Amino acid sequence: SDLGNSFYLYKTIMDRLHENGVTLSYTKSKMTDERSVFLMFLGESKHGVSVVIPPRYIQRLLERSEDGVFYDVEVISRKIAERSDDSLGIDVFAQESKYYPLGIKLHTYTGYYIHYFVTNIWIGLLLGGIVSVVRVRYRQSKVSDATLESALQNALIDGEIEAYYQPIVNSQDRTIVGCESLVRWKSASQGMISPGIFIPLAEELGLVDDIADLVLASAIDMLTKNPELFEQRYISINISRSQILRKEFVYRILHDLKPQPHIARKLVFEITEEINFSTEERQILREHLEQISKIGLRVAIDDFGTGYSGLDFIRQYTFDVIKIDRVFVNSLGSDSTLIPLLQSMKGIANSFNMSVIVEGVEEERQVKILAELGFNHIQGFYYFKPMPKQALLTLLCQSPLNESHSKK
């Protein structure tokens, strides 16, 4: 240098300086007599200039930041601090260039991972819990739907879907004048399943007509095999919108029952008033009702008073029976406004020469009030709950009823 100071450099260092203009070295310092890191670079005069960096300064920059974590710094593959252990080394920065040979290695211990896991485990548990709940609910929904759909289809095949019958009673002499056929699902694995659950599902799956056909076939079979028990009685069956509008269904009814008028006369098809029909569907409905009426089969309007156009409905079509919905019976005796409504319905039925059945009767006081208003044909838990076919046949053999048979 200009001051006349000079020092020797190894040839490898000189080569790195000439090729790159800067390099590192790790060797003893004459001033401190300890190994130090030398940063060497060439100035404008091309003479060597050096900066001495004691190892402790570098070590302070890389002091232990967390328990169980240490760093090693290597210059020209030489550690600036000797330490042997069983830690796991990971290179976070390694410069393999011969011009700037610096490497930093991170060392971790098993205790560090345990500490980190314990400290942050709540995050994993929270996220895992959320994901698990969402996934379980999704899978449960899919599995439940798929299971119920499959079970319903198998139930039709295995005979778990069957017709139950709820008797209709003449309250004056307590005789059974007829019965309504209702569908029930008695699952082998889950017991009785509510129609409120499986009927909507059957509609979605396109199975509601299959169920209705099953109920109709069961009723015809019972009428055919037990003529003496149904000499003065009938069976009413709920007919869906799709069935009554389908030509194939009406054709099959005509084909099967026209040769058997004694069976047709003992059947009543119930059509719900609240079903809305388009103008075109109304015309089809009129034609189909006329056709089935010609063979002696009667038609009832179900749930009368709950729809939008009850009067118009019975004006346009020929109905034989009106079934008054339970909503007009539940508060009978405590709601004085129901009496005039029921009287109006009775007058309408008389005007169109239709018989009347009151549904959902469960209490004796309701029976008495209805009898005073002229309603004698009663359907409800007060007399009987829906029952299997064999139970109905046994009951019909005992009719006329006596006091011991009423279900109060």
Side-chain angles (χ1 to χ4, degrees):
S1 71
D2 294 339
L3 298 178
N5 296 325
S6 63
F7 49 86
Y8 291 100
L9 296 176
Y10 291 106
K11 184 178 183 303
T12 55
I13 297 176
M14 288 298 297
D15 291 342
R16 292 199 302 271
L17 276 173
H18 287 138
E19 290 184 29
N20 198 49
V22 64
T23 190
L24 290 175
S25 179
Y26 183 56
T27 187
K28 276 191 176 183
S29 168
K30 288 187 177 181
M31 292 184 294
T32 61
D33 200 31
E34 66 175 340
R35 286 187 177 276
S36 297
V37 176
F38 290 81
L39 174 61
M40 299 181 181
F41 53 90
L42 296 177
E44 294 181 358
S45 62
K46 303 299 181 182
H47 293 161
V49 180
S50 65
V51 176
V52 180
I53 307 173
R56 60 181 178 275
Y57 293 134
I58 297 178
Q59 287 180 284
R60 287 174 186 171
L61 295 175
L62 299 174
E63 283 182 346
R64 188 171 59 182
S65 59
E66 295 184 55
D67 290 339
V69 180
F70 297 90
Y71 298 90
D72 273 341
V73 180
E74 295 181 351
V75 179
I76 319 178
S77 301
R78 297 177 183 176
K79 291 183 181 181
I80 63 173
E82 295 296 329
R83 176 169 51 81
S84 60
D85 49 50
D86 57 355
S87 62
L88 175 64
I90 303 174
D91 288 328
V92 294
F93 174 78
Q95 175 65 44
E96 299 297 337
S97 169
K98 62 180 180 180
Y99 309 118
Y100 205 80
L102 175 68
I104 300 176
K105 180 176 288 188
L106 177 142
H107 290 262
T108 58
Y109 295 82
T110 303
Y112 166 75
Y113 292 105
I114 295 175
H115 172 75
Y116 184 86
F117 177 78
V118 172
T119 304
N120 299 283
I121 191 173
W122 67 273
I123 299 176
L125 292 175
L126 177 61
L127 294 176
I130 294 173
V131 171
S132 297
V133 169
V134 172
R135 185 176 180 183
V136 167
R137 290 296 297 273
Y138 176 78
R139 286 176 59 85
Q140 183 182 31
S141 175
K142 289 296 184 182
V143 170
S144 177
D145 290 345
T147 300
L148 192 57
E149 291 174 5
S150 176
L152 180 56
Q153 293 170 335
N154 291 333
L156 281 167
I157 299 173
D158 298 337
E160 292 182 354
I161 304 291
E162 60 180 313
Y164 272 49
Y165 300 88
Q166 186 172 29
I168 299 168
V169 178
N170 185 333
S171 61
Q172 289 186 317
D173 56 13
R174 304 179 69 82
T175 57
I176 297 177
V177 296
C179 57
E180 180 180 357
S181 181
L182 304 166
V183 64
R184 292 293 183 265
W185 180 5
K186 189 175 183 180
S187 170
S189 59
Q190 302 181 49
M192 295 298 292
I193 298 176
S194 169
I197 294 176
F198 72 84
I199 291 297
L201 178 61
E203 292 174 346
E204 290 183 13
L205 298 176
L207 298 175
V208 68
D209 287 352
D210 294 332
I211 293 176
D213 288 345
L214 180 151
V215 173
L216 177 58
S218 177
I220 293 175
D221 179 72
M222 185 158 62
L223 290 172
T224 303
K225 294 180 178 178
N226 302 277
E228 70 286 352
L229 295 179
F230 289 92
E231 186 175 354
Q232 301 295 327
R233 300 183 178 106
Y234 61 87
I235 299 176
S236 64
I237 300 169
N238 291 282
I239 301 299
S240 69
R241 172 199 186 100
S242 60
Q243 281 181 305
I244 197 62
L245 292 177
R246 206 167 61 241
K247 291 183 178 180
E248 293 80 8
F249 172 75
V250 175
Y251 174 79
R252 191 170 77 249
I253 293 298
L254 297 175
H255 179 269
D256 293 344
L257 295 180
K258 192 173 183 178
Q260 306 181 78
H262 60 289
I263 299 296
R265 286 194 296 268
K266 300 182 186 307
L267 285 174
V268 177
F269 280 0
E270 296 187 15
I271 301 174
T272 303
E273 177 209 335
E274 62 184 9
I275 295 177
N276 292 319
F277 296 95
S278 66
T279 303
E280 183 180 355
E281 289 173 338
R282 283 177 177 270
Q283 181 60 36
I284 297 173
L285 177 63
R286 184 193 308 277
E287 294 175 1
H288 289 177
L289 291 181
E290 290 176 353
Q291 290 173 2
I292 62 177
S293 295
K294 288 179 179 179
I295 64 172
L297 197 150
R298 290 177 291 167
V299 182
I301 178 171
D302 194 17
D303 299 336
F304 182 73
T306 60
Y308 295 105
S309 56
L311 288 176
D312 187 53
F313 204 45
I314 62 175
R315 181 182 63 81
Q316 294 189 51
Y317 309 104
T318 302
F319 291 100
D320 301 281
V321 182
I322 285 181
K323 298 192 74 174
I324 297 178
D325 190 75
R326 66 178 61 245
V327 298
F328 299 100
V329 179
N330 292 338
S331 302
L332 194 59
S334 60
D335 187 350
S336 60
T337 62
L338 292 176
I339 302 289
L341 286 173
L342 289 170
Q343 289 174 329
S344 298
M345 294 180 188
K346 180 65 174 176
I348 292 171
N350 291 338
S351 298
F352 288 93
N353 195 29
M354 295 182 292
S355 61
V356 182
I357 299 171
V358 183
E359 298 181 286
V361 179
E362 299 183 359
E363 301 174 5
E364 184 176 5
R365 65 188 181 94
Q366 295 171 341
V367 175
K368 290 181 178 180
I369 295 174
L370 290 170
E372 292 173 359
L373 296 174
F375 297 101
N376 298 316
H377 288 191
I378 305 298
Q379 179 180 346
F381 286 7
Y382 175 75
Y383 287 112
F384 297 102
K385 295 181 179 180
M387 62 187 69
K389 176 181 177 179
Q390 190 56 50
L392 175 70
L393 294 176
T394 301
L395 179 65
L396 294 181
C397 290
Q398 301 171 353
S399 185
L401 303 178
N402 56 42
E403 290 294 327
S404 65
H405 291 136
S406 63
K407 304 297 181 181
K408 300 181 180 179

